[in-house]
Amino acid sequence: MASRAQGEAEEQMEEAEDLQERDASAVSPAIEAPEVGPGDESLAEPLLLPWDRFSAWLHCICVVGFDLELGQAVEVIYPHHSKLTDKEKTSICYLSFPDSNSGCLGDTQFCFRFRQAAGRKSSLGCFLEHFDRDAPVCLKRDQGHYYGYVYFRQVRDKSLKRGYFQKSLVLISKLPYVTFFHSLLKLIAPEYFEKQEPCLEAACNDIDRWPAPCPSRVLTLPIMGVVMKVRIPSCYDKPGMSQLVHSSENDSLVSIVLPSIHEVDLFRCFSPVFFHIQMLWELVLLGEALVVMAPSPAESSDTVLALVSCISPLRYCSDFRPYFTIHDSEFKEYTTRTQAPPSVILGVTNPFFAKTLQHWPHIIRIGDMKQMGEMAKQMKVKKLKNLKTLDSKPGVYSAYKPFLNRDEEIIKQLQKGIQQKRPSAAQNAILRRHFLELTQSFIIPLERYVASLMPLQKSISPWKSPPMLRPFSQDEFMKTLEKAGPQLTSRLKGDWIGLYRQFLKSPNFDGWFRNRWKEMTQKLEALHLEALCDEEAVVETELRSQGVRQRSFRVCWREKMQAGRGRGRTQLSQRKDGL
């Protein structure tokens, strides 16, 4: 009796589930999510509240001014409901102004990065994760940090006590779209300095009508009477192949077309230390502590971003600060002498750091960047004992000995381009291609080996739990390099084995491997689910041929699955007993 009652209860539950499925499939089209987006570039989005689309691009916009009594202060936060902690406001205040020694007269643009306060969660988390899923690893939203994109203006004004007008317009975002946000600031900031807050409100209302930053889509974005056209890169794009934004018949209103939303000019940034790009690539790859000392925040931030991007498509997994000051909340943490310097790249402009960070193992000191197309004379790597002269002599200060020989071909190629007055964009493309091929040659053997850790598809059974991935073995991987190492795709000679051994200890390997492990685990689960579905279809056909009612099918399926798993556990225990 009890078993019969239990069976009837299970059948009633199955009938209820079937009713729920039918109800879910019968949703009225009148309440389906509408398509949004200008023109033909529409994008299906859920029903969003006011400012949700703005939040997909920016957290907020801040205006930071200078007060004689208070110093730097946040004057305006827009939208007004945007939340920032006191610590975050303090970070924005100090990072939004150049150091007094920089002497930045006129308009200056740069960016910074700071830690987000713990415990904050976004109400748009699932919505934004949907777009993040298909973004390249280097363009995913930064979960623990904010980016600040600054437009700073300093001009003489005798009507002010200080004698200067000093103010910064700052875009706060989770997105590392450096080129895009700098271009956006060039449109918004001059208008704001002239027309003040009404202009800022109009710009924010424009942004709140934009479609979400969906990878692989071309978006037309109206702002302040101007239309920008951009394409958000996708993880499915072929590395190194620029997806150009083509013009169309409907582009009569488009004023600005951006070929890239995030790439900085590598050639210009590396020109002061051009002959050491091979060594710098290794230092970034291995996650070494590195500080860039520059005369201005613009040069500091551009150089740090260039360093981080030189190992693309590999993601730089350590901390990096394009512009760092003595007022930063992590100043003591990063400058302490009681422990080894952390894995971080800092960009600084204050000469005080020449003394504070002289114990750091690798320091780049750059002077004023040369004009486009020029290149600094060849400089030897200076030893750390000469660090006291940092405030006057540019150069690379390090005791690091590169694992790989220097690539003379790329240096000759770019030097020839200078002589022939090759366009800067072409020089930049050549250098970016060099870094891409170097990183790919390094990472392909790792990708090949990690793929071999995946179980064979024939080992995936619906009657068993998904099989486990084989663990990573450093010794086993090193053996594969003899026949399938980077020598197959790279002409560079040197101690590749030593470079790999050091890389396997780095945060970049840890971050890369965790991501690959997660992807392969999800793939295994998807294959196991597919096998379950296929088996369910077979069992359903068999049961129907036996006259089993539809509502009793799932009960029979569960019994069959439990029996199959029971056999699997019995076979596993017998195998263990036999060992």
Side-chain angles (χ1 to χ4, degrees):
M1 292 288 291
S3 62
R4 186 171 66 185
Q6 183 179 358
E8 291 177 354
E10 289 183 346
E11 288 182 3
Q12 290 174 358
M13 291 175 64
E14 300 300 334
E15 288 178 351
E17 290 178 5
D18 290 340
L19 285 172
Q20 289 176 355
E21 290 176 0
R22 286 198 296 271
D23 290 343
S25 62
V27 174
S28 170
I31 60 172
E32 288 181 356
E35 290 188 352
V36 298
D40 295 332
E41 295 155 6
S42 57
L43 175 65
E45 294 177 352
L47 291 170
L48 298 176
L49 298 173
W51 299 114
D52 281 352
R53 290 190 178 88
F54 177 92
S55 299
W57 292 89
L58 294 169
H59 177 69
C60 65
I61 300 179
C62 298
V63 177
V64 181
F66 187 87
D67 186 279
L68 279 176
E69 297 179 358
L70 302 176
Q72 287 101 308
V74 176
E75 298 177 349
V76 178
I77 298 179
Y78 208 90
H80 298 304
H81 64 266
S82 301
K83 293 182 180 180
L84 291 170
T85 65
D86 290 340
K87 187 176 181 180
E88 289 170 343
K89 289 180 182 178
T90 301
S91 295
I92 293 171
C93 283
Y94 284 116
L95 291 168
S96 298
F97 272 48
D99 283 319
S100 57
N101 66 287
S102 299
C104 297
L105 277 174
D107 294 348
T108 303
Q109 286 190 259
F110 58 94
C111 82
F112 58 84
R113 184 171 176 264
F114 65 100
R115 284 182 187 169
Q116 176 186 346
R120 178 181 297 168
K121 293 184 179 179
S122 171
S123 60
L124 292 172
C126 295
F127 170 62
L128 299 179
E129 285 175 7
H130 169 70
F131 299 108
D132 231 23
R133 183 180 57 200
D134 293 333
V137 290
C138 60
L139 289 183
K140 292 184 183 294
R141 292 175 185 274
D142 200 316
Q143 298 302 319
H145 296 80
Y146 284 117
Y147 287 89
Y149 301 97
V150 182
Y151 193 105
F152 170 72
R153 173 168 289 184
Q154 179 174 252
V155 293
R156 294 183 184 275
D157 189 340
K158 295 181 180 180
S159 65
L160 300 175
K161 290 183 179 180
R162 189 175 175 84
Y164 287 93
F165 170 87
Q166 294 175 310
K167 193 163 288 191
S168 288
L169 186 66
V170 189
L171 308 182
I172 305 297
S173 176
K174 288 278 187 178
L175 297 170
Y177 299 170
V178 185
T179 307
F180 170 75
F181 285 121
H182 279 333
S183 298
L184 182 62
L185 273 171
K186 287 179 181 177
L187 298 174
I188 299 176
E191 288 286 318
Y192 167 75
F193 289 131
E194 181 179 343
K195 301 176 183 177
Q196 300 301 309
E197 196 165 340
C199 165
L200 196 60
E201 184 176 354
C204 291
N205 287 326
D206 283 344
I207 295 172
D208 194 43
R209 288 192 286 267
W210 288 359
C214 182
S216 79
R217 298 188 71 90
V218 176
L219 307 177
T220 52
L221 310 174
I223 182 75
M224 309 283 290
V226 175
V227 178
M228 302 176 70
K229 189 171 184 179
V230 300
R231 180 186 182 276
I232 309 298
S234 163
C235 61
Y236 305 109
D237 295 343
K238 187 176 179 181
M241 297 299 291
S242 177
Q243 301 288 331
L244 296 177
V245 182
H246 297 290
S247 300
S248 64
E249 295 179 358
N250 299 324
D251 280 357
S252 57
L253 300 178
V254 173
S255 307
I256 300 173
V257 178
L258 291 182
S260 171
I261 62 169
H262 67 287
E263 293 177 346
V264 297
D265 190 333
L266 292 181
F267 179 69
R268 182 181 64 86
C269 294
F270 284 128
S271 60
V273 289
F274 181 80
F275 291 93
H276 308 303
I277 56 174
Q278 187 80 35
M279 183 183 74
L280 296 178
W281 176 84
E282 288 189 22
L283 292 175
V284 176
L285 180 73
L286 301 178
E288 291 284 330
L290 186 62
V291 61
V292 176
M293 296 187 174
S296 73
E299 292 165 346
S300 160
S301 59
D302 282 353
T303 304
V304 170
L305 293 171
L307 287 167
V308 169
S309 68
C310 76
I311 61 170
S312 180
L314 191 65
R315 182 188 175 195
Y316 182 76
C317 297
S318 296
D319 194 6
F320 62 95
R321 304 300 176 91
Y323 177 51
F324 189 78
T325 73
I326 58 175
H327 302 288
D328 199 287
S329 57
E330 284 81 48
F331 174 77
K332 291 183 179 179
E333 176 186 342
Y334 287 160
T335 58
T336 179
R337 292 174 180 265
T338 58
Q339 58 188 21
S343 177
V344 62
I345 301 178
L346 299 181
V348 302
T349 61
N350 194 324
F352 177 74
F353 283 104
K355 181 179 180 181
T356 309
L357 299 180
Q358 61 180 322
H359 63 290
W360 275 44
H362 319 291
I363 297 176
I364 303 173
R365 179 67 168 95
I366 59 176
D368 293 330
M369 287 191 177
K370 304 291 180 179
Q371 295 180 353
M372 290 288 186
E374 293 187 13
M375 187 182 300
K377 295 180 180 179
Q378 184 168 358
M379 297 180 295
K380 293 182 179 180
V381 177
K382 298 177 177 61
K383 295 182 180 180
L384 292 171
K385 66 179 182 181
N386 296 327
L387 214 55
K388 293 180 181 179
T389 61
L390 262 177
D391 56 345
S392 59
K393 294 186 178 180
V396 178
Y397 295 76
S398 175
Y400 179 81
K401 183 179 180 181
F403 287 95
L404 305 181
N405 300 333
R406 190 165 67 182
D407 189 343
E408 300 292 347
E409 290 297 321
I410 184 65
I411 293 176
K412 291 179 181 178
Q413 187 177 2
L414 291 174
Q415 283 180 322
K416 184 177 181 181
I418 293 172
Q419 296 169 358
Q420 297 177 348
K421 296 184 179 180
R422 184 185 295 149
S424 179
Q427 295 281 80
N428 178 54
I430 292 171
L431 186 54
R432 188 171 293 279
R433 168 63 65 177
H434 165 72
F435 282 130
L436 173 65
E437 291 176 350
L438 185 56
T439 304
Q440 285 183 322
S441 294
F442 181 83
I443 210 69
I444 284 173
L446 275 165
E447 291 278 7
R448 188 184 294 115
Y449 171 72
V450 169
S452 71
L453 304 180
M454 189 86 166
L456 296 175
Q457 190 161 353
K458 65 181 181 182
S459 66
I460 300 174
S461 169
W463 311 110
K464 302 176 184 177
S465 298
M468 298 292 291
L469 297 167
R470 289 197 302 114
F472 187 98
S473 169
Q474 179 173 329
D475 293 337
E476 190 178 81
F477 166 67
M478 291 300 177
K479 291 178 182 177
T480 66
L481 296 177
E482 296 177 6
K483 294 183 179 179
Q487 69 274 7
L488 298 179
T489 53
S490 176
R491 62 176 178 264
L492 286 185
K493 306 295 182 182
D495 184 10
W496 285 98
I497 301 295
L499 185 60
Y500 278 111
R501 290 191 189 279
Q502 198 68 22
F503 176 73
L504 295 181
K505 304 173 186 176
S506 73
N508 287 332
F509 169 74
D510 182 66
W512 172 83
F513 184 68
R514 285 176 184 271
N515 186 57
R516 293 292 289 116
W517 189 271
K518 179 182 177 181
E519 290 175 352
M520 292 193 298
T521 301
Q522 291 174 343
K523 177 67 174 177
L524 271 178
E525 291 172 352
L527 291 172
H528 185 254
L529 183 61
E530 185 179 339
L532 278 172
C533 294
D534 292 342
E535 188 66 23
E536 183 177 2
V538 172
V539 173
E540 184 178 7
T541 303
E542 291 178 358
L543 293 176
R544 281 181 175 174
S545 66
Q546 297 172 13
V548 178
R549 289 180 300 169
Q550 174 68 22
R551 65 183 184 179
S552 301
F553 161 66
R554 292 185 183 175
V555 177
C556 297
W557 168 247
R558 287 175 186 161
E559 292 175 352
K560 194 172 181 68
M561 287 294 294
Q562 290 170 357
R565 286 173 179 163
R567 288 195 300 272
R569 284 193 292 269
T570 302
Q571 293 171 1
L572 181 60
S573 61
Q574 290 173 349
R575 200 179 306 164
K576 289 181 178 178
D577 293 340
L579 294 176

